[in-house]
Amino acid sequence: MQYQGAAHGRGNRNSFSLGYYLLFPATFIYLELLFKISTVSHVFSLGTLYTVLFSAAYGGLCYLLTSISKNRRVNRIISLVLIAVVTVIFLVEYFVYREFKIFYDVSTVVGGAGDAAGGFADQIFGLIFSFNGISKIVLSFVPFVAFLLFGRRFAPAKAAKTDVRVLTVFGVFVIYVFNLVFLSSSSIYGPMYSSQYNFMDAVSNFGLITGIRLDIKNLSGGSEAGGFETVTTAPVTTTTAGEGETSTTTAAPKVYGDNVQDIDFAALAANTSNKTLAGLDEYVSTLTPSKKNEYTGLFKGKNLIMISAEAFCAEVIDEKLTPTLYRLATKGINFTDYYQPASAGTTGGEYENLIGMLPMQGGKSFKNSANHNLYYTMGNQLNRLGYYGKAYHNNTYTYYDRDKTHINLGYSDGYMGYGNGMEEYVTKQWPESDLEMIQGTLPTYIDKAPFNIYYMSVSGHGTYSQNGNAMSKKNWDKVADLNYSDPVKGYLASNLELEAAMSYLVQTLEEKGIADDTVICISADHFPYSLDDDAALGNMPYLSELYGYEVTNYLERDHNRLILWCGSLEKEEPIVVDSPTFSLDIVPTLSNLFGTEFDSRLLPGRDVLSDAPALIFNTGYDWKTDLGTYISSKGTFIPKDSTVTVPDGYVDSIKAIVRNKINFCKQALETDYYAHVFG
């Protein structure tokens, strides 16, 4: 077998070119490494080796595809198109990450393209035409331009010979299988690739192309969620909130009954031919329900106002700067160790807060639930009790398909955003005012008690500068003298609009004499990802400045504060919950407090005031309990402190429980499970 000479354009050129053979492996490796450096940063890791080996295998396949024709020009055109398409894919994900600080899976990118173009066009164009954006575009297109200019010198004149193709197939097979065996032998990376797969970790550790391949495999049903694991539960402690403090005791019998409904899961499983639904029935039937408690029905019959606060975080709460938010956070139920997993941008945070599940189909999760039975949203639960209900948003009402998803949340009077009514109350600017939204809408329902209201705010949205954020500019004087950088000042200033909105809300409730009969629940949708341009772990200077510590893992990044307040609570000692809690706990906790009929086994979160053991987790399989924290990417469990005794088998037991809960979130969304249970 001979390599081609330097001459070109002759009909007798050999079919094998070493330069052409190496073109695609080199291109894939170059793009993956550039992408990794530009996003997650950690290049010097075992994951980079997996990425390089996968890239080499994909490159071999592309060589076969682009050397199949006997016509040299056809091969060259196929090569150029393929390189261009792959390059654009990398650039799209790069700019998605720069804007939203998370990798978006295939369905989210495809389904959200129109949303991004309409709602974030200015920010995205700003990213593209910035120095970093232009430089990344130029660097990414280096392989394409190089092949365009010099490709004729080494491109084969005709299809590769059979022996070359066989050798290539063999090489691809060996590299691919070796890499699979290599990573499967790792206790950290093996689960990431299979049983604990999620798109973010797959891209971070195995490369963007592998992440997309696995995502498409899942979308096509090639990797359906498996069965649920049998868990041998290690001895654990339970934490139950009390007035003024929490107490940690060994599990003991309670006088209260279980929070369950009369559901025959065995009969449900027997009457369906769908194996996934039957598996869900069997899994749920094995779970131990949480018990009712002294707080069951504490808010029965009261009004509810739920708020998903855009990019809110615990550090916004300050006794002097945000006195109303401070009052709500400290005079109600205090959650001192709360987390808001950032898994799919704003729509993912709303999905967690309202539905009580992790969004296992990324940014499409909420959209895909638009026609599902969302039995346990507070909208549906309180609607069944005769409440007046309505959902509001002070930005474009169709964004993220909220015109479809939010009319399915159970609010009796539907959903209003900017474009179907909100424009009557809110000035068009970026971002819009939370205060104007509350001022305009509160009079429309305040006399309709009992009422059940949901707000998705927008004032806290980035970017955070006086030029790019109307709320930052409006409130700048109040933060100008703070000892922070300008981006952090801009962030705090934007959130002062939420403070103003809550001040108006509480004052009006008190003037109407219904503050004692109204519950306010505020949770973020995600951490303030617009603070930093990069936002890779270990490279978030402004977020770390705001938090007061270096952010090194996702749980540190996603720590937050849940506000759960009612005027009547101010007459009592604060109820403090210092065990780990997170957004999936909102629905079961509110359900218990409002005394609704719910089955605690059907929600992956917990009523934090019950005897259920504390457990929070994210889509990356990190988790935290009363005993400590597990960081999946490192395979490391960190005990809470030196006094903690971790029982044998405890970590493996909790890992299995977390896998089951995440699997439940995935399969419940895929199958519309509540429709199976409740009809």
Side-chain angles (χ1 to χ4, degrees), residues 372-385:
H372 286 192
N373 183 331
L374 304 181
Y375 192 82
Y376 284 129
T377 63
M378 294 310 297
N380 276 311
Q381 291 199 69
L382 296 184
N383 185 52
R384 289 193 289 270
L385 297 178

Side-chain angles (χ1 to χ4, degrees), residues 452-532:
N452 177 28
I453 303 300
Y454 172 65
Y455 288 107
M456 176 67 233
S457 80
V458 78
S459 288
H461 206 294
T463 54
Y464 304 112
S465 67
Q466 294 189 70
N467 292 330
N469 189 305
M471 298 302 106
S472 296
K473 182 178 182 179
K474 175 183 177 181
N475 299 305
W476 187 264
D477 289 346
K478 298 176 183 178
V479 302
D481 296 330
L482 296 179
N483 188 27
Y484 288 112
S485 61
D486 281 355
V488 175
K489 288 180 183 178
Y491 168 73
L492 293 173
S494 71
N495 276 274
L496 288 180
E497 198 68 7
L498 176 66
E499 163 68 15
M502 294 303 98
S503 296
Y504 178 85
L505 174 61
V506 172
Q507 179 182 344
T508 306
L509 293 174
E510 290 178 332
E511 289 173 352
K512 281 282 189 177
I514 60 172
D516 286 359
D517 296 316
T518 303
V519 177
I520 297 175
C521 177
I522 305 174
S523 181
D525 55 348
H526 52 67
F527 75 102
Y529 59 59
S530 294
L531 262 177
D532 293 286

Side-chain angles (χ1 to χ4, degrees), residues 540-560:
M540 291 181 272
Y542 294 125
L543 189 70
S544 297
E545 177 189 349
L546 176 67
Y547 285 3
Y549 60 82
E550 186 70 20
V551 177
T552 60
N553 62 60
Y554 293 126
L555 291 180
E556 290 177 344
R557 183 196 68 182
D558 293 339
H559 97 275
N560 217 292

Side-chain angles (χ1 to χ4, degrees), residues 81-381:
V81 170
L82 188 55
I83 294 173
V85 169
V86 171
T87 301
V88 169
I89 290 172
F90 274 93
L91 285 171
V92 167
E93 276 291 348
Y94 167 73
F95 287 114
V96 165
Y97 184 83
R98 287 297 300 274
E99 175 63 25
F100 300 108
K101 308 308 184 290
I102 193 170
F103 299 129
Y104 273 4
D105 54 62
V106 174
S107 62
T108 302
V109 170
V110 173
D115 291 335
F120 296 101
D122 292 342
Q123 292 96 312
I124 292 173
F125 278 117
L127 287 173
I128 292 174
F129 293 106
S130 66
F131 173 78
N132 282 336
I134 293 173
S135 64
K136 288 302 183 298
I137 292 173
V138 171
L139 289 172
S140 296
F141 271 100
V142 164
F144 177 83
V145 174
F147 186 73
L148 183 66
L149 296 176
F150 308 112
R152 290 187 181 88
R153 297 185 179 182
F154 55 85
K158 56 185 180 180
K161 293 181 179 179
T162 301
D163 57 348
V164 174
R165 299 180 71 79
V166 171
L167 182 62
T168 301
V169 171
F170 178 75
V172 167
F173 177 79
V174 169
I175 293 173
Y176 183 77
V177 171
F178 171 78
N179 203 25
L180 285 183
V181 173
F182 183 30
L183 72 86
S184 297
S185 65
S186 168
S187 61
I188 297 175
Y189 294 100
M192 283 185 191
Y193 189 84
S194 54
S195 61
Q196 295 182 184
Y197 162 79
N198 73 87
F199 189 71
M200 185 73 186
D201 283 344
V203 174
S204 299
N205 294 288
F206 310 130
L208 177 60
I209 302 301
T210 297
I212 292 174
R213 176 176 63 80
L214 293 174
D215 187 54
I216 292 174
K217 182 180 179 182
N218 287 335
L219 286 174
S220 64
S223 180
E224 295 183 4
F228 294 90
E229 302 175 47
T230 301
V231 179
T232 303
T233 306
V236 297
T237 58
T238 59
T239 303
T240 304
E243 294 187 356
E245 62 180 6
T246 57
S247 60
T248 302
T249 60
T250 56
K254 304 289 184 179
V255 297
Y256 304 101
D258 294 334
N259 257 321
V260 295
Q261 293 173 270
D262 185 15
I263 303 171
D264 189 340
F265 290 104
L268 285 172
N271 291 327
T272 180
S273 59
N274 186 308
K275 292 182 179 180
T276 302
L277 289 173
L280 284 164
D281 292 330
E282 181 180 356
Y283 164 69
V284 172
S285 69
T286 66
L287 300 178
T288 301
S290 63
K291 293 188 177 296
K292 298 178 182 179
N293 47 74
E294 60 183 300
Y295 302 101
T296 301
L298 180 66
F299 295 156
K300 192 174 185 65
K302 295 185 184 295
N303 308 307
L304 174 62
I305 299 175
M306 287 186 70
I307 301 171
S308 290
E310 174 65 48
F312 183 74
C313 78
E315 283 67 28
V316 168
I317 301 170
D318 181 82
E319 187 172 7
K320 294 181 179 179
L321 186 64
T322 55
T324 301
L325 288 170
Y326 180 83
R327 173 188 173 186
L328 299 179
T330 59
K331 299 294 185 180
I333 301 177
N334 296 330
F335 297 86
T336 62
D337 194 21
Y338 180 77
Y339 298 84
Q340 182 73 37
S343 48
T346 294
T347 185
E350 282 194 281
Y351 187 85
E352 295 168 12
N353 296 343
L354 297 173
I355 299 176
M357 302 270 192
L358 285 180
M360 297 308 296
Q361 293 177 1
K364 293 284 286 182
S365 298
F366 216 145
K367 295 182 180 183
N368 291 343
S369 74
N371 296 313
H372 286 192
N373 183 331
L374 304 181
Y375 192 82
Y376 284 129
T377 63
M378 294 310 297
N380 276 311
Q381 291 199 69

